[in-house]
Amino acid sequence: MAELETLQMLIDGQWCAASDGAAFDCIDPSTGLAWARIPEATYADVNRAVEAAATALDGPWGAMTPTQRGKHLARLADLLAAHSEEIGRIETRDTGKMFKETAWQATYIAEYLHFFAGAADKISGDTLPIDKPEMFVFTNREPLGVIAAVIPWNSQMFLTATKMGPALAAGNTMVLKASEHASAPLLAFGKLVAEAGIPPGVVNIITGHGAVCGRELTRHPKVARVAFTGGPAAAAQVIKNSAENFAEVSLELGGKSPIIVFDDANIESAVNGAIAGIFAASGQSCVAGSRLYLHDDIADDFLARMLNIARGIVIGDPQDDATEMGPLCTLGQIEHIERQVTLAIEEGGRLLCGGRRLARPGLFFEPTIIECPRQDMTIVDTELFGPVLAVQRFRTESEVLALANDTKHGLAAGLFTRDGARQLRLAKALKSGMVWVNTYRMISPIAEFGGVKTSGHGREAGLQAMYDYTRAKTIWVNLSDDPIANPFQPR
């Protein structure tokens, strides 16, 4: 058996093991075998990382102009693009995601860092038309302080860039907690931080489980904001932890996103959009289009086309360019999916394809489509985070709008129709943070990303994110040479 690689955390510019030497295994989902050892951060490690970030606020990073910070971010972006293949390979090995997706994502996500690098010196305060004679009042935008960023295992470069980009551009410092399910890509990314000239302590990367590492980080008294992406149970704990430090909290949680296809849609395009929405990344995406609503007049034709593609999807080694769908990341996901598929059939669902894990090494599950006769079936509003699609039929616009909005989630939605008025009506009426019309699963650094309801609150990406990582300081200047009058008189 090959010796496991030993990886280290990045704290205050130094690579280190856990203070007590504890570590856990990284598992390759395509083989089910361990390939690396990851440090299990202790309370002391978390505290050291936060203290390093707090100290860096008053060091060279805090003394830089916004333009200088932007140049460092731009350098980091260039390095990320140059090392996209290397980081993509590591992420694919650690998560099972397709290499052609992880490499592309690392390259494109560099554009997020470039976007915020350019925005670093574009954020300004206001001069206020104050209602007090001889007073000049203005605001400055200042960094919040130490940002705790909790990153999930899926889409790591994207979900890191949407937090790191605006946070660093605004002058904050950071402690990133990598997911215990796949920590290696973030640690590889950390090697580029020092190369970009970012001072020690500005970016710290720690690894470990939620019970110690996550808890201590999100409740640390020197953390000013927690930017969390993950599941609702962990999010609830983050909110409880923030009661101890009164940190601001943004939450990007899961979804059960609907895709609606009307009878006037371009069927070929809609089928491809639905396939991309649920089977790309093996369904392991927070915006996965896992609920499909088909107009009754085109449902049979649509499903025939979709099933033909789904049954031919090439499943295999995610490092192989010929593979179209790789493994799931964790055994827990597969077991959860198996339970939900069994329950869906018991509740009256009709299995159209898939439904089983593959009889081969690794964590592979078949592309699965289940036709659901009722909205109240458990699978219709349960996030599976895997390649499982729940399909329903509808007749009218009002009917499908009610079905699509009948969910506790609200991250994204897709809509396929050629009717321009209907596009605008439904885009406005759908209760979700993002709506894609005649496309699906698109991202850009220019566009805000986030949801409503139990899919979280706060937005990532877009220029507004810069303001979210700053606070306004109001400054009053008395322009009069006259002495202050009666000190007991309100002014």
Side-chain angles (χ1 to χ4, degrees), residues 106-362:
T107 301
Y108 183 67
I109 295 313
E111 296 304 315
Y112 279 74
L113 298 182
H114 273 300
F115 176 85
F116 288 110
D121 55 7
K122 309 299 187 296
I123 300 301
S124 60
D126 297 300
T127 300
L128 306 181
I130 206 69
D131 60 346
K132 310 294 182 186
E134 299 184 333
M135 286 290 168
F136 178 69
V137 183
F138 63 97
T139 61
N140 277 344
R141 304 297 307 191
E142 298 184 345
L144 297 176
V146 177
I147 309 300
V150 181
I151 312 297
W153 61 264
N154 71 309
S155 301
Q156 289 182 63
M157 291 299 97
F158 168 59
L159 295 167
T160 296
T162 57
K163 298 170 177 61
M164 176 185 283
L168 295 191
N172 299 280
T173 57
M174 303 192 76
V175 179
L176 298 169
K177 182 203 171 292
S179 169
E180 61 271 28
H181 296 303
S183 305
L186 269 189
L187 298 176
F189 174 66
K191 295 177 182 178
L192 307 180
V193 172
E195 192 174 342
I198 295 174
V202 173
V203 177
N204 305 273
I205 303 175
I206 58 176
T207 54
H209 291 78
V212 174
C213 185
R215 182 190 64 193
E216 298 303 335
L217 176 61
T218 55
R219 71 177 187 173
H220 196 286
K222 291 190 178 180
V223 165
R225 176 186 172 103
V226 179
F228 174 87
T229 301
Q237 190 60 54
V238 166
I239 293 172
K240 292 177 183 177
N241 293 344
S242 70
E244 298 187 37
N245 57 10
F246 297 105
E248 297 182 13
V249 177
S250 63
L251 303 172
E252 198 275 280
L253 310 179
K256 192 72 178 180
S257 300
I259 295 179
I260 303 169
V261 184
F262 283 88
D263 54 340
D264 67 337
N266 181 320
I267 300 301
E268 181 182 0
S269 181
V271 168
N272 288 337
I275 290 285
I278 188 60
F279 298 134
S282 303
Q284 300 172 118
S285 169
C286 55
V287 297
S290 51
R291 290 188 292 149
L292 177 62
Y293 294 96
L294 300 175
H295 191 279
D296 200 49
D297 289 349
I298 53 93
D300 289 337
D301 179 34
F302 191 102
L303 286 173
R305 298 188 193 202
M306 191 173 192
L307 286 167
N308 185 55
I309 295 173
R311 288 171 177 148
I313 289 175
V314 179
I315 304 172
D317 182 355
Q319 303 277 5
D320 188 339
D321 284 344
T323 299
E324 296 174 326
M325 205 175 89
L328 301 185
C329 184
T330 71
L331 178 61
Q333 285 174 261
I334 283 200
E335 293 173 341
H336 173 56
I337 289 170
E338 287 175 329
R339 290 191 297 269
Q340 290 299 320
V341 169
T342 298
L343 179 59
I345 294 171
E346 290 173 353
E347 292 180 345
R350 186 163 68 99
L351 184 65
L352 303 183
C353 71
R356 298 173 306 218
R357 73 170 84 182
L358 272 63
R360 56 174 291 179

